Amino acid sequence: MKALVYSAWDTLEVGDVREPNAKPGEVVVRVAAVGICGSELEGFATRSPRRTPPLIMGHEFCGEVQEVGEGVSGHRPGDRVVVNSVISCGRCPACRDGQSHLCPEREVFGMKRPGGFAELCAVPVSTLLLLPEKVSPVEGALVEPLANGVHALSLVAQRLPETVLVIGAGTIGLMALQVAKAMGAFRLVCADTNERRLEVAHALGAEPVFNPVRGDLVAAIREFTRGRGADVVIDAVGASVTRRQAVAASRPGGEVVWIGLHED
């Protein structure tokens, strides 16, 4: 099969690799669409030890079940599925407590095992969710980024916050913005240094939008909220300056969620 192989540091190439087989408890998914995550771009550019070649990356993907391994029930060839990027053991105390993201044996597709930048991918059945027919493959590949936005807002205790500020209008920031809108935030504000991204954020409901290059973001938020500050701030960038801005722009008793990949 064809795959995009991270064959060596600084080298990505399309090549032929052996097709995976479904082990007990696994299925083989024929990949229909896969997203390119910023963490993969960053990992490749910086030779991150979290992604060491040789490797097939890709953790935002969906597709169709092609082969079912021994002991698998509830799924069959032809099922349209989306794949959870994190694989947990299901046996440890963290997993039993519903905190599978803290599993000490957890793996992530495209890091410790082959991911979705390939025609086929072997997937533990525990990571599968059925994909409704009305959801396209491209939309299916965005389920994992959307889940990040849902998770970020699920950490917020306030219901129906008045003002939500999202710093960073990349994919995750825009997902968080839409989740905040769906959860009933009264006013959505977005900040980014990229004007095109701000246009998209505005089209998705952010009003106003701010470009920090053109002025002091914290002062602008204070003015917009009449000195109060934002009720909720989501930092989807991860730079030290945006971390500081997120805290400074929040009101006393407000909530700040840091979800952007942080600097060293």
Side-chain angles (χ1 to χ4, degrees):
M1 68 171 183
K2 295 291 185 182
L4 180 64
V5 183
Y6 185 17
S7 56
W9 297 121
D10 307 319
T11 303
L12 281 168
E13 53 193 355
V14 176
D16 292 304
V17 300
R18 180 178 297 178
E19 292 187 2
N21 295 316
K23 298 177 182 178
E26 293 185 346
V27 304
V28 172
V29 171
R30 179 167 292 280
V31 178
V34 56
I36 302 172
C37 181
S39 65
E40 290 159 342
L41 297 174
E42 184 271 342
F44 175 77
T46 63
R47 297 188 174 189
S48 170
R50 301 184 71 198
R51 292 177 171 85
T52 303
L55 181 67
I56 298 174
M57 294 190 286
H59 60 265
E60 304 172 356
F61 66 101
C62 67
E64 185 176 294
V65 173
Q66 177 169 292
E67 177 190 344
V68 174
E70 181 182 346
V72 171
S73 61
H75 293 280
R76 59 186 180 181
D79 283 353
R80 300 175 75 246
V81 293
V82 62
V83 181
N84 186 343
S85 61
V86 180
I87 306 162
S88 53
C89 74
R91 303 179 301 274
C92 69
C95 287
R96 292 199 299 270
D97 288 342
Q99 296 182 311
S100 57
H101 60 294
L102 301 179
C103 174
E105 298 181 32
R106 68 188 180 277
E107 297 181 336
V108 178
F109 286 101
M111 291 177 63
K112 291 187 176 181
R113 63 181 291 154
F117 290 163
E119 292 182 278
L120 301 170
C121 185
V123 175
V125 70
S126 61
T127 66
L128 296 181
L129 293 170
L130 290 173
L131 196 64
E133 287 295 332
K134 66 180 180 180
V135 180
S136 72
V138 170
E139 291 169 334
L142 289 170
V143 168
E144 197 273 348
L146 174 60
N148 282 270
V150 172
H151 175 63
L153 270 299
S154 73
L155 299 174
V156 174
Q158 297 176 68
R159 299 298 90 186
L160 304 177
E162 181 175 346
T163 302
V164 174
L165 166 64
V166 176
I167 302 176
T171 302
I172 302 301
L174 293 174
M175 292 297 187
L177 184 76
Q178 293 174 85
V179 174
K181 181 178 181 179
M183 70 180 280
F186 181 63
R187 297 186 296 187
L188 301 173
V189 186
C190 191
D192 200 288
T193 58
N194 184 304
E195 291 293 335
R196 174 57 186 148
R197 287 183 172 187
L198 289 178
E199 291 175 7
V200 176
H202 179 70
L204 292 174
E207 177 63 46
V209 294
F210 293 111
N211 188 332
V213 173
R214 298 183 176 180
D216 188 321
L217 172 61
V218 175
I221 293 298
R222 292 290 176 186
E223 180 180 358
F224 176 68
T225 59
R226 298 182 180 180
R228 185 169 183 264
D231 298 283
V232 175
V233 184
I234 307 292
D235 175 20
V237 177
S240 56
V241 63
T242 59
R243 297 296 200 226
R244 291 193 296 270
Q245 288 173 332
V247 175
S250 66
R251 67 166 174 81
E255 296 179 82
V256 176
V257 182
W258 291 349
I259 193 171
L261 291 175
H262 61 79
E263 300 171 329
D264 289 341

